[in-house]
Amino acid sequence: MAAEILPFDWQRMLFSDDAPPLFLLEVALRCLLTYVMVIGALRVTGRRGVRQLSIFELSIILALGSAAGDTMLYHDTPLLHAALVFVMVTVLYRFFNWLTERLPRFSDWLEGAPVLLVEDGRICLAAFRRQNLTQKELFGELRQMQVEHLGQVRRAYIEATGDISAYFYANEDMRPGLPIWPERLTQARRRVEEPGLYACATCGHVLKLPRGAVARCPECHEDQWIPACATKRTA
């Protein structure tokens, strides 16, 4: 038979019948370790996973969500335990923010620094592959900026927030490049059917290839090619 719950029992609301007051210290330690694990998990998932929220804003939402929900719903969750969680998370949040302001290297490691992804119409593969980012995601972002092919892009960065920033060539300086429309990307072929300019389907490097050529890209050593696009940017 379940024990009867006495409404507004302050002993039950503030403390726990099953744990001594010293248990509050364990709650503080649990909070510290859990918060560090949340920060670590968010760091591993990559900056695209925390887009539009800073890693600290998302971590405080995750860390406080369970504590707040359990306290509101369950009669056996002491208010003091939840209050301590809120205090600890707030202190840790301010402490980590202070660290990022004082230690630029720590800030770059935790939140990420801007990373160059596209330079002179070609994908910087070494940096790109470290970003937990797919080509489909990058091209989708560029298409929203009315980019038709990489030859229109002078430089593109992924910011600490996960947003993509791009700088474009003037039309007179634009060069042929890898088309990024989905239907064009499906046209990648290993053997060149007609002579002309072809873009590597992986990095965007452009070569003039003869008919029937089977070549490897000198930049990334892949062998899939798409006819290069030279359309001017109108946006």
Side-chain angles (χ1 to χ4, degrees):
M1 182 176 178
E4 182 180 356
I5 299 175
L6 179 64
F8 301 106
D9 179 0
W10 290 102
Q11 174 67 25
R12 172 180 53 79
M13 291 173 64
L14 294 176
F15 298 99
S16 170
D17 294 334
D18 301 324
L22 191 61
F23 182 69
L24 289 171
L25 291 179
E26 182 178 329
V27 172
L29 177 61
R30 287 169 176 264
C31 186
L32 170 62
L33 297 177
T34 303
Y35 189 78
V36 170
M37 287 190 290
V38 168
I39 290 286
L42 292 176
R43 181 67 183 86
V44 169
T45 58
R47 64 188 76 188
R48 297 290 293 175
V50 296
R51 189 179 179 189
Q52 298 178 343
L53 287 175
S54 75
I55 196 169
F56 294 115
E57 291 169 338
L58 190 56
S59 69
I60 200 169
I61 291 172
L62 293 174
L64 295 182
S66 179
D70 289 352
T71 307
M72 288 187 287
L73 287 174
Y74 301 116
H75 70 87
D76 57 349
T77 303
L79 288 174
L80 281 183
H81 292 184
L84 182 57
V85 170
F86 273 71
V87 171
M88 284 294 298
V89 170
T90 302
V91 169
L92 289 169
Y93 172 79
R94 295 180 66 88
F95 174 67
F96 274 83
N97 273 331
W98 177 82
L99 278 181
T100 58
E101 292 175 0
R102 294 298 182 92
L103 303 174
R105 289 186 179 180
F106 175 75
S107 176
D108 289 346
W109 175 83
L110 185 62
E111 295 187 299
V115 175
L116 181 64
L117 297 181
V118 179
E119 183 177 22
D120 297 332
R122 291 180 293 184
I123 298 174
C124 304
L125 282 179
F128 175 78
R129 287 169 174 166
R130 291 196 298 266
Q131 298 308 307
N132 194 27
L133 184 69
T134 66
Q135 190 188 77
K136 182 185 294 185
E137 289 175 315
L138 173 62
F139 288 175
E141 291 288 333
L142 292 176
R143 285 194 295 270
Q144 293 184 51
M145 302 177 194
Q146 288 73 53
V147 174
E148 185 172 345
H149 61 89
L150 291 185
Q152 298 173 342
V153 182
R154 183 161 57 93
R155 298 175 84 85
Y157 295 86
I158 183 169
E159 306 292 348
T161 59
D163 292 312
I164 302 294
S165 301
Y167 298 86
F168 306 103
Y169 283 109
N171 277 337
E172 59 269 20
D173 298 324
M174 192 212 67
R175 58 194 63 190
L178 173 66
I180 63 173
W181 287 358
E183 55 270 25
R184 295 290 299 276
L185 292 171
T186 62
Q187 298 173 0
R189 297 290 185 272
R190 185 168 177 265
R191 182 179 297 274
V192 173
E193 298 177 355
E194 297 292 337
L197 291 175
Y198 285 80
C200 171
T202 300
C203 71
H205 184 76
V206 176
L207 285 180
K208 187 174 183 179
L209 298 175
R211 181 175 182 176
V214 177
R216 287 194 176 273
C217 174
E219 297 291 329
C220 67
H221 309 295
E222 297 294 333
D223 62 357
Q224 295 293 308
W225 299 91
I226 300 175
C229 181
T231 306
K232 304 294 184 182
R233 189 168 182 272
T234 59

